[in-house]
Amino acid sequence: METMKQYIEEAEQALLHTYNRYQVVLDKGEGVYLYDIEGKKYLDFCAGIAVFALGYNNQTYNDALKAQIDKVIHTSNYYYNVPAIEAAKKMKKVSQMDRVFFTNSGAEAVEGAIKAARKYAYLKDGRTDHEIIAMEHSFHGRTMGALSVTGNPKYREAFEPMIGNIRFAKMNDFKSVLSNVTDKTCAILFETVQGEGGIFPAEENFLKQVKALCEEKDILLILDEIQCGMGRTGYMYAWQKYGVKPDIMTTAKALGCGIPVGAFMMTEKVGANSLTSGDHGTTYGGNPLAAAAINVVLDLFEENHIIDNVKETGSYLEEKLDELVSQYDFIDTRRGLGLMQGLVFNRPVGDIITKALEKGLILINAGTNIIRFVPPLIITKKNIDDMIVILKTCLDEIAHQA
Ligand SMILES: *Cc1c(COP(=O)(O)O)cnc(C)c1O
C-alpha cells in the first residue's frame, strides 16, 4: 500500500489546487471517530463541515442506502418516485414549509431560492430589475448566483461581474437593512446563524424587525439554513427558536448526512406565485438514492432524539468553551447556538488546528481567528471532555511559546 505522503503527492498532481488540505488521507469512520489510512484515530469535531450529524458508519443509515441501491438509484424528475414523495412529506412537517424542490448541493438550493424570489416579484409588477439584500460576512456557496450574495469581496473579485442588483447590509443592524430597501427590493437573504463568516447568530430582535418589514412591503424573507439547520442549534431549523418563519428556506449539509442533497422550500404563498413548469429543473435533484438518505436521516433524528441530545450537549459545550475563554488571554469570546459554536481568538488559529490534528482531534476554522465546533449531533459529554483535554494541551503549548 502507498503511504499517506505518496497519496498526497499524487493528489497534488491530479486535483485542481483549490484547497490547502490538511496532510491526512482519511480512510473510514465509526461514530464520532475517523481513521486515516495508517490507522491513526481522530475525534471529529468537524463532521465533514456540519454534515455527518448521525456519526459515521451508522448501520441503519447504511442499510437503508444499500436497500435503495438494489432497487433503483436514479430515474430523473420526469417521473414520480416513492422515496422523494416520502422525503418531501417529512421535510414539510419538520420545516413548516409547504413546497419542496430538491437540489444536489447547498449552492444550488440558494440559486433556486434566488430564482423563486425574482419570479415572485416579476409576477407582481413585471419588472426585471429587482434587488436582493444580503449580509456582509455571509456565505452562500461558490456558484455564480450564490457567490453574488456572499458577503466576502475576496471570494467574488476575480469572478466579477456577479449577477446584478445585490446590496449588502450589516447583519444584526436593522437600520442598515432599512437603508438598502428600495421599491425594487424583492428579497432579504441571510443565514439564521452565519457559519463560514464567523458563527454570528441573528439576534431575535433583528429577525423580528426584518420579518415585519418584509410583511409590510411584500418582500420575501429567505433564510439560509444550510449549515445551522437540521437540528444543529437545538431546533430542527434555527429560526424555529424565535418563531420567525421565512418565506423561502434553504437546507443541505446534514440533510443527507453524506449523500449530496439539498433543497429549497417555500410557503404556499410563494409556491403558488413563483416558479412553475419549465422555470427550473435538475437531472439528479431528489433522486431515489438521495431521497432514501433524507428519509432515513429524518427517521433516525426522531428515533434517536437527536434534538434533545443537541440541547443537552450543546449547553455543556458552551459551558466548557466559556471556561477556556476565562482561562486563556488569547481567547476573546465564544459565539454560537447548540452544537454550532465558535471560539474567537485574538490571533490566527491555523497552528492550533494543526497541532490538534497531530494529537488526534479534528477541528476547523471559520475565518482566520475563529475555531469552529460543528461535531456530529450524536456527540456525548464524554466526547466533549476528551476534546477539551486535547485542545487545552494545544493551547498550553501556544501559551508557553508566546
Ligand atoms: C455550505 C454552505 C453553503 C453551500 O453549500 P454547498 O453544498 O457547499 O454548495 C451555502 N450556505 C451556507 C450557509 C453554507 O454553510
Side-chain angles (χ1 to χ4, degrees):
M1 199 183 73
E2 292 177 61
T3 64
M4 276 216 306
K5 198 163 165 287
Q6 284 169 321
Y7 275 120
I8 290 169
E9 265 162 29
E10 284 174 11
E12 293 308 330
Q13 292 305 315
L15 296 171
L16 188 66
H17 196 91
T18 52
Y19 284 95
N20 288 317
R21 292 179 162 85
Y22 294 105
Q23 299 299 294
V24 174
V25 184
L26 293 170
D27 184 37
K28 59 181 184 180
E30 189 65 49
V32 297
Y33 297 100
L34 280 167
Y35 296 82
D36 68 25
I37 58 166
E38 290 170 359
K40 181 170 166 184
K41 184 179 177 182
Y42 301 85
L43 175 58
D44 181 22
F45 267 67
C46 164
I49 320 182
V51 167
F52 247 101
L54 300 168
Y56 301 99
N57 205 20
N58 179 299
Q59 207 53 54
T60 310
Y61 175 86
N62 290 0
D63 289 345
L65 292 190
K66 286 173 193 166
Q68 189 58 49
I69 286 171
D70 287 337
K71 279 178 120 178
V72 66
I73 294 172
H74 179 77
T75 57
S76 92
N77 280 306
Y78 289 163
Y79 315 96
Y80 299 95
N81 74 76
V82 175
I85 297 163
E86 294 297 327
K89 279 177 12 194
K90 286 178 195 167
M91 285 171 66
K92 280 180 60 172
K93 195 166 147 229
V94 295
S95 69
Q96 300 164 250
M97 295 280 121
D98 301 313
R99 298 274 165 187
V100 181
F101 185 100
F102 291 114
T103 66
N104 308 292
S105 68
E108 278 176 73
V110 173
E111 298 286 335
I114 293 171
K115 280 180 74 175
R118 280 189 169 179
K119 181 76 191 288
Y120 178 88
Y122 171 80
L123 288 177
K124 265 195 319 187
D125 62 17
R127 292 174 76 144
T128 54
D129 58 354
H130 293 108
E131 296 175 350
I132 294 173
I133 300 175
M135 300 298 145
E136 291 174 7
H137 305 296
S138 62
F139 182 83
H140 298 290
R142 303 297 199 140
T143 55
M144 290 305 293
L147 190 59
S148 300
V149 289
T150 288
N152 183 339
K154 265 206 325 237
Y155 287 175
R156 296 195 310 262
E157 185 175 301
F159 310 103
E160 296 280 355
M162 296 286 111
I163 68 165
N165 295 18
I166 308 296
R167 290 163 170 265
F168 288 97
K170 289 191 167 54
M171 181 86 161
N172 289 330
D173 181 344
F174 182 63
K175 280 200 192 119
S176 158
V177 171
L178 206 53
S179 70
N180 279 293
V181 172
T182 72
D183 62 348
K184 297 190 281 188
T185 309
C186 70
I188 300 175
L189 158 70
F190 55 94
E191 301 152 82
T192 320
V193 182
Q194 286 188 335
E196 309 295 317
I199 318 291
F200 285 100
E203 286 161 13
E204 178 166 10
N205 206 29
F206 177 74
L207 274 165
K208 290 191 166 155
Q209 284 175 306
V210 171
K211 174 73 181 175
L213 172 72
C214 287
E215 277 181 351
E216 184 200 320
K217 299 201 177 286
D218 199 21
I219 292 169
L220 298 180
L221 175 61
I222 307 175
L223 291 180
D224 181 344
E225 292 256 354
I226 289 168
Q227 188 161 160
C228 62
M230 289 300 293
R232 183 146 295 279
T233 63
Y235 295 81
M236 198 62 193
Y237 287 101
W239 63 263
Q240 291 165 340
K241 178 173 163 75
Y242 310 107
V244 176
K245 187 174 169 175
D247 301 291
I248 304 176
M249 187 181 98
T250 57
T251 182
K253 288 200 164 86
L255 179 64
C257 277
I259 293 289
V261 65
F264 62 99
M265 298 184 270
M266 57 195 77
T267 59
E268 192 59 30
K269 176 182 92 170
V270 183
N273 298 290
S274 62
L275 302 175
T276 182
S277 17
D279 277 342
H280 200 53
T282 165
T283 300
Y284 280 136
N287 84 10
L289 182 65
I294 298 173
N295 281 318
V296 66
V297 166
L298 292 177
D299 289 350
L300 286 171
F301 261 67
E302 223 175 272
E303 281 163 33
N304 297 346
H305 309 287
I306 294 290
I307 304 271
D308 293 339
N309 188 58
V310 176
K311 285 205 161 96
E312 202 180 320
T313 53
S315 53
Y316 188 69
L317 177 61
E318 282 185 4
E319 207 179 288
K320 293 286 143 185
L321 294 179
D322 283 340
E323 282 173 24
L324 298 183
V325 176
S326 61
Q327 285 163 2
Y328 295 91
D329 306 342
F330 47 73
I331 308 179
D332 283 343
T333 187
R334 173 197 62 77
R335 284 195 293 262
L337 282 179
L339 289 177
M340 181 172 183
Q341 297 288 338
L343 208 47
V344 185
F345 288 66
N346 61 22
R347 68 189 289 290
V349 296
D351 57 342
I352 304 172
I353 292 175
T354 304
K355 271 181 196 296
L357 192 67
E358 282 162 12
K359 297 180 204 301
L361 169 65
I362 295 182
L363 293 171
I364 45 168
N365 63 314
T368 36
N369 286 8
I370 298 163
I371 298 183
R372 171 169 32 164
F373 301 84
V374 285
L377 304 184
I378 56 160
I379 207 102
T380 62
K381 288 183 182 175
K382 169 78 170 59
N383 297 144
I384 292 171
D385 288 339
D386 292 347
M387 180 277 287
I388 293 286
V389 169
I390 303 176
L391 180 55
K392 274 179 77 97
T393 318
C394 303
L395 297 175
D396 288 338
E397 283 176 23
I398 298 287
H400 288 133
Q401 152 194 321

